[in-house]
């Protein structure tokens, strides 16, 4: 995804402010609401997305953050 994309042009985005991530890290679990799943299903040209969720463990690294793949 283009890092300069505006939030309005991204179908599903959950921003996290780097200053809100504690030194111990931040565990985030998110689930897309029905309207978001419907919009993404239309973009993907599929009938439906009955569930869409993501889990992230964010840790500070340098001047930004890192989310290791799970």
């Amino acid at each position: 995804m283009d890092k300069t994309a505006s939030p309005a042009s991204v179908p599903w985005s959950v921003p996290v402010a780097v200053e809100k991530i504690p030194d111990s890290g931040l565990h985030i679990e998110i689930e897309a609401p029905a309207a978001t799943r419907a919009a993404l299903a239309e973009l993907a040209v599929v009938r439906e997305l009955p569930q869409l969720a993501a889990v992230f463990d964010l840790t500070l690294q340098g001047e930004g953050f890192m989310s290791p793949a799970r």
Side-chain angles (χ1 to χ4, degrees):
M1 178 174 63
D2 178 3
K3 289 184 179 184
T4 62
S6 70
S9 69
V10 178
W12 186 29
S13 176
V14 181
V16 176
V18 173
E19 60 272 6
K20 299 289 185 184
I21 302 172
D23 291 339
S24 60
L26 180 64
H27 179 80
I28 298 176
E29 296 183 22
I30 56 176
E31 189 167 335
T36 300
R37 293 193 317 269
L40 287 168
E42 186 176 324
L43 269 174
V45 191
V46 297
R47 187 178 8 211
E48 65 180 335
L49 288 172
Q51 181 179 9
L52 181 60
V55 176
F56 300 94
D57 288 307
L58 305 176
T59 55
L60 295 172
Q61 184 167 349
E63 294 187 23
F65 68 91
M66 179 177 182
S67 177
R70 282 180 131 201

